[in-house]
Amino acid sequence: MAKPIRHADPRGFDDTKVWVFDLDNTLYPASCNLFAQIHDRMGRFIAERFKVAPEEAWRIQKRYYHKYGTTLAGLMTEDGIEPKDFLDAVHDIDYSPVPPSPELAAVLAALPGRKLVFTNGSRGHAERTMARLGVSHVIEDIFDIVDANYVPKPAHEPYAKFLAAHGVDGTRSAMFEDLPNNLKAAEALGMTTVLVGPGIAGDPSYGEISGWTALPDHVHHITDDLTGFLQARQKLG
């Protein structure tokens, strides 16, 4: 991906007291492709639950994702699926593709202020991923899809719940995300936003990002190397 030019008026990090990180394809590299496993587990769950062929399960999965923001939201709304059953099934995956990252752990530990994870996934999935990375000890807490009452990003509601639950002032925080749409509400709440991209080819946002010639208003910074970006900020600081 050719890097877009910088935001016309990028926000800095001098006043940042809370560092908020998405989990999937943000704290760990998108090249780990855990989502391939998760998507496969979603398809199997739908196929087994509704007794349909894999192709039909895939169509249901994608329709719910695009209509509701997550496949789970669609399954809950239209089919009354118990969310715990779904979350347990789709996150029963192999975490070995995630490499331990002592460099990331060190740079997170050195950041001044609190560090939190805000994810559309489950707490268990986040805990296992963070343990694999070796960063659990530097993350204060996790705000997951259950904490958000199963309303996923990019809806505004989970951001407001997150800020209230953890006593976070949006204007003194920064959010790191791999999906540009998930940064819109964050920016509206005053957060400094960082897109960790370009993500995985085939995701709808991948084509969007690759076509940028300038950063949109809701994306203040972009990087394809989270650890390097944070290290550079510390050196500048």
Side-chain angles (χ1 to χ4, degrees), residues 66-78:
H66 291 295
K67 184 175 180 180
Y68 294 99
T70 64
T71 301
L72 173 58
L75 289 169
M76 292 175 64
T77 301
E78 297 199 12

Side-chain angles (χ1 to χ4, degrees), residues 112-125:
R114 304 164 64 195
K115 276 76 70 172
L116 299 164
V117 163
F118 177 11
T119 175
N120 277 347
S122 69
R123 179 174 291 267
H125 172 56

Side-chain angles (χ1 to χ4, degrees), residues 13 15 18 24-25 31 68-69 76 78 87 91 93-94 99 106 111 132 145 153 186 209 214 218 232:
F13 300 90
D15 295 327
V18 183
D24 292 307
N25 302 329
S31 58
Y68 294 99
M76 292 175 64
E78 297 199 12
L87 291 171
H91 291 134
I93 62 172
D94 173 19
L111 290 174
R132 180 71 187 168
I145 193 66
K153 298 178 281 185
I209 297 167
H218 62 281

Side-chain angles (χ1 to χ4, degrees), residues 26 33-35 40 42 47 49 55 59 66 68 100 105-106 140 156 158 165 169 176 178 185 188 200-201 209 228 235:
T26 300
N33 207 9
L34 291 191
F35 256 44
D40 179 65
M42 287 183 188
R49 184 60 60 98
E55 295 79 8
R59 283 191 287 270
H66 291 295
Y68 294 99
E140 177 186 322
H156 188 277
D169 177 354
F176 296 75
D178 70 302
I200 300 173
I209 297 167
K235 289 176 183 177

